[in-house]
Amino acid sequence: MGARGRVLLWLQLCALTRATYKVWVPNTNFDDAANWSQNRTPCTGAAVEFPADKTLSVLVREGHSISDMLLPLDGEFVLASGAGFGAADAGSRPDCGTARARFLDPDRFLWLDPRLWRPGDAARGLFSLDAERVPCRHDDVVFPADASFRVGLGPGAGTVRVRSVQALGQTFARDEDLAAFLASRAGRLRFHGPGALSVDPEACADPSGCVCGNAEAQPWICAALLQPLGGVCPQATCLEPLRPEGQCCDLCGAVVSLTHGSAFDLQQYRARLLHTFLALPQYQGLQVAVSKVLRPPGLREASGTKADTEIQVVLVEAGPETGGAGRLARALLEDIAEHGDALGVLSATARESGAPVWAGTAAGLNAPARAGLAGGLAASGLLVLMVLLAGALLLLRREGRLRWRRRDEADPARAGAPRGFHNPLFYTADSAEALPAPKSDQRSSSRSYFLNPLFGEGEAEA
């Protein structure tokens, strides 16, 4: 049986024992374009350069003709059937340019980086939280036999513990065997760093599932995940986003938390979600993560339950449609209310994120706040305008450009005069005197002046 056949048989045995396994994704293969500085394998006649201060193992699958090669500090080339190296003149391929083909740093791949692992048993509609994308305490770890690799253990304190490790066609289920492999030259070429790796063959025997065990390593897991983003989480696309246990950044969707009894079976409940709910057309755009997590101490005290773990069901939108996660969360609560005893579920609670920030519903939710803000700004602006106007009037008053007189300070001679007035439109020769000529203001020759027939001459001059 070949190496690939042994891997397939081992994965089938994992499935029969209800074990979960994680597969390492990157490699250090010579023929993988992602390992080279120009994102392509070296052309014919190219000058090849490996990091001079690194140690690595490189699998070569094909034949290559190169002009020269700078080898690493320590390492090995594993040649597949028909692979090898030949000499060629430099610049044999003018279209390849003259730049040296540099092999990228092999130490850039870290065990704690969630992007570098894939689940071996993932079904459509399922996903894993960030901390659970890295191998958990009871997981089996597979390094493909048809690829060379190099893994950095650490940073971070503590020892990485898994159920078993398969590498170079061997399965290490005992700590002594794994330690001997890591100390060998083959192990040193493939594993490096300040961390430690150990195995414990004990499987998760609890039908309700086991906690992943990566809580202590989560800060380093999140740091590795967010390193390409400058260590900053992307902005969530909804109001009031959620951050489930084991997730590095906020997400939009819903979280259902279950407390369970001895009859609860995690695998059966996960299958129920897939076949009873996610198979329905209205939930096709959703993804779900189901796992056992530690209950936060504050939540444990508030609920009054003594259980230190709970089942966390995380629902997220995988497509442009929104609102499906909340509908499914409410459907799960109704299902538990009806079938909770048969499922072994004692209680359930649900949390939902807010509306999408780009949707009209989000605008409606924010409308009262924006209206209050606009009203407050308008009132503030009016108050400032009134203060400025009052200040301008006082300034004109002090400069003598504006004068006013109270009625009790008017000319005593006119105090008893009748309150009527002459309308110049109805003057007759025998009933009215000629209108007095307007007096010019000697202080300014630029202002216009008119006589208002509503006031007397003395008041017009004021």
Side-chain angles (χ1 to χ4, degrees):
M1 182 182 296
R4 184 181 297 272
R6 289 195 298 270
V7 172
L8 293 176
L9 177 60
W10 183 84
L11 294 179
Q12 291 174 355
L13 292 175
C14 289
L16 292 176
T17 57
R18 297 164 60 95
T20 301
Y21 62 96
K22 302 287 194 326
V23 180
W24 180 253
V25 175
N27 61 70
T28 56
N29 294 351
F30 190 97
D31 304 282
D32 190 339
N35 290 326
W36 295 94
S37 57
Q38 299 176 352
N39 200 31
R40 65 184 180 187
T41 55
C43 300
T44 300
V48 176
E49 179 179 333
F50 286 88
D53 58 343
K54 300 298 181 180
T55 300
L56 75 158
S57 174
V58 180
L59 174 64
V60 184
R61 294 180 177 276
E62 302 175 359
H64 298 273
S65 298
I66 56 178
S67 60
D68 64 86
M69 179 185 296
L70 178 63
L71 296 175
L73 175 66
D74 187 16
E76 66 180 13
F77 288 99
V78 181
L79 302 180
S81 177
F85 293 99
D89 294 334
S92 301
R93 290 274 304 275
D95 57 318
C96 286
T98 59
R100 300 180 68 90
R102 290 181 171 83
F103 197 85
L104 299 180
D105 184 5
D107 293 348
R108 67 188 186 277
F109 302 126
L110 300 179
W111 179 289
L112 295 178
D113 191 340
R115 299 169 300 167
L116 306 183
W117 298 94
R118 65 174 178 85
D121 56 351
R124 182 177 181 180
L126 293 179
F127 78 100
S128 297
L129 299 175
D130 295 330
E132 298 172 4
R133 293 164 61 185
V134 175
C136 296
R137 164 68 183 80
H138 297 283
D139 287 348
D140 296 296
V141 175
V142 178
F143 292 94
D146 57 350
S148 56
F149 63 92
R150 185 163 174 81
V151 186
L153 299 174
T159 300
V160 175
R161 290 182 173 85
V162 293
R163 182 171 179 265
S164 68
V165 174
Q166 186 180 44
L168 301 183
Q170 304 179 66
T171 300
F172 303 97
R174 297 197 314 159
D175 224 12
E176 298 82 3
D177 297 337
L178 178 62
F181 169 72
L182 295 177
S184 67
R185 185 173 186 274
R188 294 195 306 271
L189 289 176
R190 291 162 176 83
F191 294 90
H192 71 97
L197 177 63
S198 68
V199 293
D200 186 344
E202 180 183 358
C204 177
D206 189 347
S208 66
C210 296
V211 175
C212 176
N214 283 339
E216 294 184 2
Q218 184 167 338
W220 289 277
I221 292 174
C222 295
L225 178 66
L226 299 176
Q227 190 272 334
L229 302 177
V232 180
C233 286
Q235 184 70 30
T237 58
C238 62
L239 303 174
E240 300 178 0
L242 307 174
R243 184 172 297 188
E245 293 295 321
Q247 190 71 4
C248 294
C249 299
D250 296 339
L251 54 78
C252 301
V255 177
V256 180
S257 302
L258 312 177
T259 57
H260 60 87
S262 58
F264 181 81
D265 189 295
L266 182 63
Q267 295 284 7
Q268 292 181 5
Y269 190 72
R270 184 182 287 120
R272 180 181 180 84
L273 290 178
L274 289 175
H275 301 300
T276 305
F277 293 96
L278 291 183
L280 298 177
Q282 61 267 35
Y283 302 132
Q284 287 296 304
L286 297 180
Q287 289 186 330
V288 59
V290 187
S291 59
K292 178 181 282 189
V293 299
L294 295 174
R295 288 173 63 87
L299 182 60
R300 192 187 317 163
E301 297 171 0
S303 61
T305 59
K306 297 182 179 180
D308 57 354
T309 61
E310 65 182 12
I311 304 301
Q312 180 177 253
V313 181
V314 182
L315 308 169
V316 297
E317 313 279 355
E321 299 294 333
T322 60
R327 291 192 297 270
L328 180 54
R330 292 187 288 273
L332 293 181
L333 293 182
E334 295 175 358
D335 181 63
I336 292 171
E338 184 177 357
H339 305 289
D341 293 340
L343 297 173
V345 178
L346 304 179
S347 63
T349 59
R351 295 178 291 145
E352 297 182 36
S353 61
V357 295
W358 63 79
T361 53
L365 290 175
N366 279 342
R370 290 201 301 268
L373 178 62
L377 291 176
S380 301
L382 182 59
L383 179 60
V384 171
L385 182 60
M386 293 177 63
V387 171
L388 292 177
L389 181 59
L393 292 176
L394 290 176
L395 182 61
L396 292 175
R397 169 71 172 174
R398 290 181 178 180
E399 292 181 353
R401 294 176 178 270
L402 180 66
R403 293 181 297 164
W404 60 80
R405 181 180 301 167
R406 293 183 301 176
R407 182 167 292 275
D408 55 1
E409 295 178 356
D411 188 358
R414 300 179 57 87
R419 300 191 177 210
F421 63 91
H422 298 289
N423 190 330
L425 297 179
F426 299 95
Y427 276 179
T428 60
D430 57 351
S431 62
E433 301 176 354
L435 290 175
K439 298 180 180 180
S440 62
D441 191 339
Q442 300 300 326
R443 291 172 298 177
S444 175
S445 59
S446 64
R447 291 187 298 167
S448 61
Y449 179 89
F450 68 94
L451 181 64
N452 192 331
L454 296 177
F455 301 95
E457 181 180 354
E459 289 179 308
E461 292 176 357

